[in-house]
Amino acid sequence: MNRLLILGLLFCCSIYPVSRAAAQDTLSLDFSRPVNGADVRSHTWAFEDHEGKVTAAEVPRLVFRPDSALFHSRKKPLNHVNNLWLRLRLRNSGPVDSLLYLFTGWHDDLAFYAANAAGQPELMMHTGLMVDRGNVERWNHYTFPLHVRAGETRTFYVHVRNSFYRENEFLPVLYDPIHYAEFRHAQTDQYKGEVLVIQMLVGMLLVLLSITIINYTQLPDRSSLYFAAYLLGLILFFTLRLELKPFQLSFFHFCPLFKFYWDIPALLFCFYFMYMLFGNMFLNLRERYPLMEKIYRYGAVLTGILIVCCIALIATGNFRAPAMIYTWTYFFTLIPFGISFIALARRTRHHPLIRFYLFGSISLYLLTIWAFLNNTEPVPFTPLPELVGPYNVLVLGVLLQALFFAAGLSYRNKLVHQEKTKTQEMLIKQLNKNKELQRKLNEQLEELVKEQTTEILRKKMELEEQRKLQLEIEYSKKLAEIELKAIRAQINPHFIFNCLNSIQLFVMQRDYEHAQKYLSDFSFLIRKTLDFSRRNFITLADEITYLNTYLGLEKMRFEQKMSYEIVTDPSIATAELEVPAMLLQPYVENAVKHGMNNEDHASGLLMIRFNLLAGDMLECMIEDNGIGIERSRALRTLPGHHQSQGMEISLNRAELLNKMYNTGIQIEIIDKSKKQANDSGTVIRVLIPQL
């Protein structure tokens, strides 16, 4: 009898812990009474699926344990994927059939299951910030209705998977239908203020973007393009912020992962990549500060590589590595950016645009650092905006930076407009001076022609009166000199006409920089032309300088579609040798005209060589790769084709010089195609004896 009593007592003691554990695992509630945010952490048991291989069919066989450390009421940074299965057993101790609502938080991937009569989980709802595409309605999917009949006990399972670098509030609570409606209203009011700030920021950024695009259409500038890309990145970033706020309009509901793909890459793109490209172009660092320009350029390239790496990591499901990349990038760049700010601040007197760039940069950095230091979220010091509060401080910093940059662009456009206006005024003044110079030149030429005509008539009268051989010889010599000057007077207007046409072309094309340089070189040529017209011979050095200037003008007129080279034998003393003034220029002009029109060559090439032959004979070779002399003559026979008389005039001048000074100048024109069929171009060989 005593043995039986002892065995009975041992059996009762053995089943007591099991009954107690079962009682703790089940939450008994009267569903007919109000339930307002009841904390059920103590009855919500969990199983951590680290490998992520557990299926719903295996869940009933899992060993669930109570673990309150898994739950939290604020945001929490994640160092790994949090994959949990939760189990909640409810007993309706009330007299009526009713339901409650279970809310666990806003998670990346969330699935609700209810056990059927056989104890197997049945999927009731699958949602999550990364998977749900239900537009605005998806915010109703995060609360699970628990239907339990009176006196009945049911088991529910929740599969939570968070892979982002932060985990939202994770706290299982129960609501009755009335208090659930109040909870929804409270959640809506909680986000209204922050969402309103974001919407206002997006609106202001859109206004700045519109102004930037309008300014770019009026005054194209790469810094405006970079700033527009910076604004677009910010607009997209903050618009996607609305996707993380419940009960808001969902612009990108069709692609829930888009906001996670653009989260860290957007910070690197806006605040590093486009920031450095914009600063490089806005401050014109290449000309003003070459070392800083290299640092900003290489920094932008490195940031672009980091952006690609972050997108690749996110595509593989790794959201924490990009967050670490941005964190280390932020901390490592604080000191270099600070040094660059100090270096730029010391140059604000010489470059007024630096003030706008510095104020915009420093305002953002100071406000972000202040927000990180005074973070209200229970997380360590971090530069990630998703983990920082108050959020409005960061928004203010971004807005101030955008406003300062926009103001700097407006001021820069104003300076550029003033500079262009000043340049246009200078060009107009220079054009007026050139017109006056042209008028005076024409008057001088007319006067010269009249004087020479009078001189010719006077000499003819003397020839008729004297009729002596000696006077005939002097008359012939004087007549040849007068005809030489008359021919020279024909050459100058022809050359001036070509130059003025080139100037007019640049002005019509609004190429003011080239027009101003062309005008300067043209003025030099006018002076030299007037000077050479009074002399029969000039030094070879003057002739080379004159041809260099002329070919430089022609190269600008052909928009760099021609190249030329003047090669002089080193043994030639160019300052001592003399050549006839304006003798070579018509041949060079003819080579430019016909040497640049060869369809077989993309670019015309002109080569001028000066060699000293035996017997003090100066040889000048003018060679081009044009269409050739024969084809050029064939084109001149076409109706309406202009026939240049420059080469004929030069031949006449050579003959007159030979008569006057017995110089023996020889001119030979060679068509290269006659020597070699597959070659084209013309070679002009001029031999000038040195007296």
Side-chain angles (χ1 to χ4, degrees):
M1 187 66 180
N2 293 333
R3 290 180 179 180
L4 291 175
L5 290 175
I6 292 172
L7 289 174
L9 290 174
L10 291 174
F11 176 76
C12 292
C13 292
S14 64
I15 64 173
Y16 177 74
V18 177
S19 301
R20 184 177 181 184
Q24 288 180 347
D25 189 16
T26 303
L27 176 62
S28 180
L29 288 175
D30 186 353
F31 280 35
S32 62
R33 294 184 178 181
V35 179
N36 184 13
D39 187 352
V40 293
R41 280 181 290 181
S42 58
H43 294 83
T44 304
W45 289 18
F47 174 81
E48 294 188 61
D49 183 11
H50 297 290
E51 298 181 357
K53 297 181 179 180
V54 175
T55 62
E58 300 173 349
V59 170
R61 298 190 296 272
L62 299 177
V63 179
F64 288 85
R65 292 185 176 86
D67 190 356
S68 299
L70 297 174
F71 306 107
H72 48 88
S73 59
R74 304 290 292 272
K75 291 180 181 180
K76 174 185 176 182
L78 287 181
N79 297 321
H80 61 277
V81 176
N82 195 10
N83 194 353
L84 297 174
W85 285 89
L86 305 179
R87 185 186 68 187
L88 177 63
R89 288 178 179 171
L90 281 179
R91 174 178 175 79
N92 187 356
S93 60
V96 295
D97 298 344
S98 185
L99 63 86
L100 295 178
Y101 290 95
L102 173 65
F103 177 74
T104 60
W106 314 100
H107 303 293
D108 300 338
D109 195 339
L110 189 63
F112 295 99
Y113 296 86
N116 55 19
Q120 291 298 320
E122 293 183 355
L123 180 64
M124 305 301 293
M125 187 183 301
H126 186 203
T127 184
L129 295 173
M130 290 187 177
V131 296
D132 200 334
R133 301 185 179 184
N135 200 356
V136 180
E137 292 79 9
R138 74 183 188 274
W139 302 116
N140 298 327
H141 300 166
Y142 290 86
T143 305
F144 182 44
L146 308 178
H147 296 272
V148 183
R149 296 179 180 178
E152 184 181 65
T153 300
R154 293 195 66 184
T155 303
F156 302 96
Y157 299 97
V158 181
H159 184 202
V160 178
R161 188 177 187 276
N162 289 317
S163 55
F164 200 42
Y165 62 79
R166 65 95 184 90
E167 187 175 61
N168 285 325
E169 174 187 351
F170 191 6
L171 187 65
V173 291
L174 293 176
Y175 294 94
D176 58 54
I178 296 177
H179 288 95
Y180 170 61
E182 294 178 354
F183 167 73
R184 283 176 52 85
H185 289 296
Q187 286 283 303
T188 304
D189 294 337
Q190 178 183 352
Y191 290 103
K192 274 184 179 179
E194 187 173 333
V195 168
L196 179 62
V197 171
I198 295 178
Q199 290 174 342
M200 292 177 61
L201 174 64
V202 171
M204 297 183 72
L205 292 177
L206 285 172
V207 172
L208 292 177
L209 178 62
S210 303
I211 295 173
T212 304
I213 294 175
I214 293 173
N215 290 336
Y216 178 76
T217 56
Q218 296 178 352
L219 187 64
D221 185 15
R222 289 177 64 184
S223 58
S224 297
L225 284 180
Y226 292 149
F227 184 61
Y230 165 78
L231 292 176
L232 280 174
L234 287 178
I235 291 171
L236 185 60
F237 175 77
F238 284 103
T239 304
L240 291 172
R241 294 294 92 194
L242 298 176
E243 292 289 299
L244 298 176
K245 313 303 174 187
F247 313 110
Q248 303 303 321
L249 180 62
S250 302
F251 297 100
F252 303 96
H253 63 89
F254 56 88
C255 184
L257 276 174
F258 188 33
K259 53 182 170 290
F260 298 96
Y261 270 92
W262 188 238
D263 187 77
I264 296 300
L267 298 175
L268 294 172
F269 177 81
C270 296
F271 301 122
Y272 290 93
F273 184 72
M274 295 312 305
Y275 171 78
M276 287 186 284
L277 289 180
F278 170 76
N280 197 345
M281 188 59 58
F282 177 69
L283 299 177
N284 198 11
L285 296 180
R286 176 174 293 181
E287 296 182 3
R288 297 178 180 272
Y289 317 113
L291 178 60
M292 191 175 296
E293 185 271 337
K294 290 182 180 179
I295 295 174
Y296 271 43
R297 175 156 47 89
Y298 292 141
V301 172
L302 180 60
T303 305
I305 296 173
L306 291 179
I307 292 173
V308 175
C309 293
C310 289
I311 294 176
L313 289 170
I314 293 172
T316 62
N318 190 344
F319 296 91
R320 295 163 305 284
M324 292 301 299
I325 289 175
Y326 174 74
T327 300
W328 287 109
T329 301
Y330 180 87
F331 289 132
F332 277 129
T333 55
L334 279 178
I335 295 177
F337 274 132
I339 295 173
S340 68
F341 293 160
I342 295 173
L344 289 173
R346 299 178 62 183
R347 295 172 173 85
T348 53
R349 293 183 179 179
H350 308 287
H351 197 350
L353 295 178
I354 293 178
R355 295 189 182 93
F356 295 95
Y357 188 75
L358 283 180
F359 289 156
S361 304
I362 294 174
S363 60
L364 175 63
Y365 270 86
L366 290 180
L367 287 175
T368 53
I369 292 174
W370 184 85
F372 301 151
L373 293 175
N374 296 274
N375 188 14
T376 58
E377 296 291 339
V379 295
F381 180 70
T382 174
L384 298 170
E386 191 62 32
L387 297 174
V388 175
Y391 197 68
N392 296 343
V393 177
L394 300 178
V395 171
L396 178 61
V398 172
L399 180 59
L400 285 177
Q401 186 182 63
L403 289 175
F404 277 118
F405 286 175
L409 273 179
S410 299
Y411 185 72
R412 186 175 187 268
N413 293 339
K414 178 183 177 182
L415 294 178
V416 172
H417 180 72
Q418 290 177 350
E419 186 66 24
K420 284 192 173 183
T421 302
K422 187 182 297 183
T423 303
Q424 290 176 356
E425 292 176 354
M426 292 177 61
L427 287 174
I428 292 173
K429 291 180 180 179
Q430 189 66 32
L431 285 174
N432 293 333
K433 290 181 180 179
N434 289 332
K435 287 182 180 179
E436 183 66 21
L437 180 61
Q438 181 183 5
R439 185 185 62 80
K440 292 181 179 180
L441 182 61
N442 290 334
E443 291 178 355
Q444 291 179 1
L445 292 174
E446 291 176 359
E447 185 177 354
L448 179 62
V449 171
K450 290 180 181 180
E451 291 178 357
Q452 300 304 323
T453 304
T454 304
E455 186 70 14
I456 292 173
L457 293 175
R458 189 178 65 82
K459 290 298 180 183
K460 284 184 178 180
M461 292 175 62
E462 291 180 358
L463 181 63
E464 290 177 358
E465 293 176 356
Q466 297 178 4
R467 296 190 180 274
K468 293 182 180 179
L469 181 60
Q470 185 175 1
L471 293 178
E472 279 187 2
I473 296 175
E474 291 182 8
Y475 163 77
S476 299
K477 186 175 180 180
K478 195 66 176 179
L479 180 60
E481 182 179 358
I482 293 172
E483 289 177 353
L484 176 61
K485 292 183 178 179
I487 292 173
R488 199 176 293 144
Q490 295 177 15
I491 295 175
N492 290 338
H494 178 70
F495 175 69
I496 293 168
F497 177 77
N498 288 341
C499 289
L500 291 177
N501 277 343
S502 301
I503 295 171
Q504 184 181 10
L505 177 63
F506 279 114
V507 173
M508 291 177 63
Q509 291 178 348
R510 293 180 173 270
D511 194 346
Y512 301 119
E513 181 178 356
H514 287 83
Q516 188 172 5
K517 185 178 184 308
Y518 205 107
L519 286 171
S520 177
D521 292 346
F522 172 65
S523 300
F524 172 79
L525 278 181
I526 291 297
R527 291 193 300 271
K528 288 298 180 182
T529 302
L530 292 175
D531 182 26
F532 294 165
S533 65
R534 299 184 180 95
R535 292 188 286 173
N536 291 325
F537 292 90
I538 60 175
T539 63
L540 181 58
D542 289 339
E543 181 69 19
I544 293 174
T545 303
Y546 185 89
L547 293 178
N548 254 322
T549 306
Y550 167 75
L551 290 174
L553 292 175
E554 291 289 3
K555 185 175 182 180
M556 291 174 62
R557 184 167 68 91
F558 279 97
E559 298 180 352
Q560 310 301 326
K561 293 183 180 179
M562 65 163 284
S563 60
Y564 70 93
E565 185 177 1
I566 300 177
V567 180
T568 305
D569 190 351
S571 62
I572 297 177
T574 57
E576 298 176 3
L577 295 183
E578 290 188 343
V579 296
M582 302 293 290
L583 177 66
L584 302 179
Q585 190 273 340
Y587 294 104
V588 175
E589 178 183 353
N590 191 73
V592 170
K593 180 178 180 181
H594 299 290
M596 305 302 112
N597 296 329
N598 195 345
E599 298 177 354
D600 298 332
H601 300 286
S603 175
L605 176 62
L606 177 62
M607 178 70 71
I608 302 175
R609 300 185 182 88
F610 292 96
N611 299 312
L612 191 61
L613 305 180
D616 293 334
M617 179 70 73
L618 178 64
E619 179 189 47
C620 175
M621 302 289 290
I622 303 173
E623 182 179 356
D624 64 79
N625 62 346
I627 59 177
I629 190 67
E630 295 296 331
R631 188 177 175 186
S632 175
R633 289 174 180 172
L635 291 176
R636 290 198 191 102
T637 61
L638 296 177
H641 195 280
H642 174 68
Q643 298 186 19
S644 175
Q645 297 181 355
M647 294 175 62
E648 183 179 354
I649 291 172
S650 292
L651 287 173
N652 293 336
R653 289 188 60 210
E655 293 176 359
L656 290 173
L657 288 171
N658 290 337
K659 290 180 181 179
M660 291 172 58
Y661 301 101
N662 297 321
T663 55
I665 297 175
Q666 302 178 24
I667 300 176
E668 182 182 3
I669 302 175
I670 305 170
D671 196 332
K672 293 162 62 175
S673 61
K674 290 184 177 181
K675 294 185 176 181
Q676 192 172 355
N678 59 353
D679 198 0
S680 65
T682 305
V683 178
I684 298 174
R685 185 168 179 259
V686 181
L687 297 177
I688 305 173
Q690 297 298 305
L691 300 178

